[in-house]
Amino acid sequence: MTMFDPRARSPLIADEIGTILRRAPVEVLLAYPNTYRVAGSSLGMQVIYRALNSRDHVACHRAVLPDDALEHPGQVPVHSLEFAKPLADYDAVCFSIAYELDLAHLVLMLEGSGIPALASERGPQHPPVVVGGPLTNSNVLPLGLFADVVVMGEADLAVYTLLDWLQERPDRAALTAQAAGMPGFWVPSIHGDAVPELLSVRGDAIPARGVWHSPQAEFRNMMLVETSRGCPRYCKFCVVRAPVAPVRSPELDQVVAVLDRPEFEAAPRVGFVGAAVSDWPFFKDILRAALERGKQVGVSSLRADKLDDELVDLLHQGGYRTLTVASDAASQRLRGKMMKGLRERHLMEAAEQARRVGMKLVKVYVIIGLPDENDDDIQELIDFGQRLSKRVRSAITLSPFVPKLHTPLAEAPFEPAAAQTKKLQRIQRGLGGRVDVRFDSPRQAWVEYRLSQGGIQTGHAVLQAARNGASLGAWKAAFAELDRRLPDEERSAVQAAQRHGLWTLTGAR
Ligand code: SF4
């Protein structure tokens, strides 16, 4: 057992409010494979942190990706934020993972700590590695080489089953044997690429609520509470569309009761989380309740067709200075094809509402490279941007379309980065500096695409890329090597799903 200083709290959490500082006979590490800034704003991680700290016999501490882990792959050890205890000394290591590109970070956190990243190379002396989180809602297969156990989908309740097992301090073999027989637990060493169906909690597990708030988190000094889970809509590109994640919502008084909890009273800001927050019928009521309690507010997503003057004014009173809405496609034709259910006039009205209450900026999210997108669609976006900028200062953020499993577009093509770059340049030229055009890197999106579509063996590319610092060049070389070694069908998550007849991977239902 390595020595560590139990008083050495990480500076990252020096100003965090809500930290749980407990020691117990069984200690579990909850890791987030990204920076504290991102991890600190994950409501899912907070729910699991609270659950794993809910029994006397077990304590849970957290860890995040060290700042220099990418510069020195495999050489930067990970310690808990609460007690600076090395990751390898924990009885179990759990990861909460949200994004494909964080797969490489997960590898770096394990290898930097002396735990083999490949599950097949770990022995009885190593802690079991359990993974869950939003990434399991799309393609989980590239985790298969690294995880001993994966909790599929919504883990709010499954975490207590895990806790039952962990408090007996099982070794890896015992834990995987227990998990393999339970619905919603994927044990890659036993199940191979036949992943179980996603877990879905009932409404009584909602609303999830936060544990901590911090000035160093992306959602600065903000306590988070859920106002809905899933979505009632059917946008074809989205992994939380109704057939996969049906909507479940709390009553107003349940969320108001959360605002009155002591940990929420102590926070200057409160953030309302959900895929469809503005669809929640009590949204204005909860904004009023937050304002009455002197809070600033944040909202995870807003639909332009759900806004009106009163609602936008409430947001403004709650500290909003930028109104962010999603168009999600370049043209009306594509929004229709994607079943977005939104028209340009909704976006224009939202801009007017923002202007009227004195907001400084309207930001619109657009997905580029959707199937069948053509020159006319791009021209319509340029025309829209020009009209928008005459009403209010505007920004358009362009994100490359990445087809995801569990959606009807799972098998759609990814537009080559060169073609996307041409479109981005055309949009920038067309808007002539009148709109602040930002875009996510098409090359990075290509990496996300490969990970979104890859089978279990894709983990080898993750391992190689991580060991080479996870730069774009490292990812490209790693996928080239994978493509040389493996036939198509062993690289494809869609084909794995088809082999096993899994509806969940193609969203066929
Ligand atoms: S894009 Fe938004 S509105 Fe559409 S299904 Fe997804 S969460 Fe719902």
Side-chain angles (χ1 to χ4, degrees):
M1 178 77 71
T2 317
M3 292 302 292
F4 66 93
D5 178 357
R7 293 157 305 168
R9 214 197 295 200
S10 163
L12 286 171
I13 57 167
D15 299 319
E16 185 184 78
I17 309 289
T19 315
I20 301 173
L21 292 167
R22 295 175 62 234
R23 307 303 309 269
V26 177
E27 294 191 333
V28 178
L29 188 83
L30 177 59
Y32 194 99
N34 208 313
T35 59
Y36 177 82
R37 187 180 148 80
V38 182
S41 297
S42 163
L43 179 56
M45 175 145 169
Q46 300 191 43
V47 168
I48 302 302
Y49 183 58
R50 177 189 296 109
L52 291 177
N53 272 308
S54 66
R55 303 224 180 122
D56 290 347
H57 200 61
V58 181
C60 172
H61 310 148
R62 295 162 298 162
V64 297
L65 182 74
D67 283 344
D68 48 354
L70 289 162
E71 284 163 45
H72 308 287
Q75 291 169 40
V76 183
V78 178
H79 298 89
S80 63
L81 297 173
E82 287 84 356
F83 293 104
K85 176 173 165 175
L87 181 140
D89 289 353
Y90 278 87
D91 295 300
V93 175
C94 302
F95 279 92
S96 175
I97 184 166
Y99 309 110
E100 284 83 357
L101 292 161
D102 286 348
L103 286 160
H105 303 155
L106 179 149
V107 167
L108 291 171
M109 290 178 79
L110 289 173
E111 292 203 323
S113 304
I115 299 175
L118 292 172
S120 59
E121 292 179 0
R122 293 198 283 268
Q125 73 277 28
H126 296 118
V129 174
V130 181
V131 186
L135 182 65
T136 65
N137 286 316
S138 47
N139 181 24
V140 77
L141 290 178
L143 271 172
L145 296 182
F146 311 121
D148 292 310
V149 174
V150 178
V151 187
M152 298 290 300
E154 296 171 354
D156 315 49
L157 301 179
V159 65
Y160 291 97
T161 306
L162 184 65
L163 195 47
D164 289 341
W165 299 333
L166 291 178
Q167 68 183 7
E168 303 302 323
R169 198 188 272 135
D171 62 14
R172 294 177 53 244
L175 184 71
T176 51
Q178 276 170 311
M182 285 293 289
F185 284 79
W186 179 42
V187 179
S189 63
I190 294 174
H191 298 138
D193 56 12
V195 296
E197 292 208 1
L198 296 168
L199 294 167
S200 178
V201 298
R202 293 191 313 268
D204 50 9
I206 294 165
R209 60 186 157 81
V211 176
W212 66 74
H213 62 91
S214 163
Q216 300 203 54
E218 194 170 343
F219 301 145
R220 212 165 29 85
N221 295 326
M222 186 181 278
M223 285 298 283
L224 302 175
V225 59
E226 192 177 38
T227 54
S228 64
R229 182 84 57 100
C231 184
R233 300 172 190 272
Y234 288 78
C235 306
K236 285 187 181 170
F237 49 81
C238 180
V239 290
V240 292
R241 58 200 300 273
V244 179
V247 70
R248 287 141 290 162
S249 303
E251 295 299 323
L252 175 63
D253 55 1
Q254 291 177 278
V255 184
V256 171
V258 171
L259 297 190
D260 289 332
R261 296 182 64 89
E263 67 271 27
F264 276 72
E265 280 179 1
R269 306 174 76 210
V270 57
F272 300 105
V273 178
V277 176
S278 47
D279 280 327
W280 190 46
F282 311 112
F283 185 40
K284 282 182 194 166
D285 302 288
I286 201 65
L287 288 176
R288 278 189 214 100
L291 292 173
E292 279 162 15
R293 287 159 177 76
K295 306 291 182 197
Q296 293 209 315
V297 298
V299 182
S300 64
S301 66
L302 290 167
R303 275 189 64 99
D305 57 343
K306 289 288 177 179
L307 302 179
D308 58 31
D309 282 341
E310 187 189 4
L311 178 47
V312 176
D313 188 45
L314 288 168
L315 291 169
H316 188 246
Q317 288 181 49
Y320 257 68
R321 297 297 174 263
T322 298
L323 187 71
T324 304
V325 288
S327 157
D328 280 344
S331 68
Q332 190 56 49
R333 183 185 76 87
L334 284 178
R335 277 192 294 275
K337 280 188 83 163
M338 293 299 124
M339 301 175 72
K340 182 70 193 165
L342 192 76
R343 305 198 72 79
E344 183 183 306
R345 70 177 162 79
H346 296 127
L347 299 164
M348 287 298 181
E349 281 164 16
E352 280 297 330
Q353 287 151 358
R355 190 186 56 75
R356 277 201 288 272
V357 302
M359 287 198 194
K360 294 192 182 334
L361 180 69
V362 168
K363 211 191 273 182
V364 181
Y365 278 107
V366 182
I367 301 173
I368 288 293
L370 284 164
D372 191 33
E373 184 180 82
N374 61 34
D375 283 354
D376 292 345
D377 299 313
I378 299 300
Q379 188 57 48
E380 189 174 319
L381 174 61
I382 294 169
D383 296 342
F384 161 73
Q386 288 177 344
R387 282 196 295 278
L388 189 70
S389 67
K390 286 182 186 148
R391 296 176 186 226
V392 63
R393 193 159 79 80
S394 319
I396 292 183
T397 298
L398 304 166
S399 300
F401 166 62
V402 177
K404 297 282 166 120
L405 303 186
H406 305 276
T407 74
L409 301 181
E411 294 177 73
F414 179 77
E415 183 168 61
Q420 288 191 36
T421 305
K422 265 188 168 169
K423 285 182 184 171
L424 299 175
Q425 288 166 344
R426 183 176 160 205
I427 293 164
Q428 274 178 320
R429 271 198 315 275
L431 288 171
R434 282 190 289 274
V435 176
D436 179 10
V437 180
R438 300 168 197 185
F439 53 91
D440 300 335
S441 156
R443 287 189 172 75
Q444 198 149 309
W446 174 79
V447 177
E448 186 186 332
Y449 165 67
R450 289 295 310 259
L451 295 169
S452 299
Q453 298 284 315
I456 283 192
Q457 299 303 322
T458 303
H460 289 294
V462 175
L463 192 65
Q464 184 181 327
R467 286 175 174 171
N468 289 307
S471 64
L472 280 173
W475 280 111
K476 227 171 139 184
F479 281 120
E481 171 70 18
L482 187 78
D483 295 349
R484 259 195 307 278
R485 283 199 307 111
L486 282 180
D488 272 8
E489 60 274 16
E490 285 186 40
R491 284 187 260 134
S492 162
V494 171
Q495 291 191 21
Q498 285 164 350
R499 269 202 308 281
H500 298 292
L502 297 174
W503 74 269
T504 45
L505 286 184
T506 55
R509 192 156 82 184

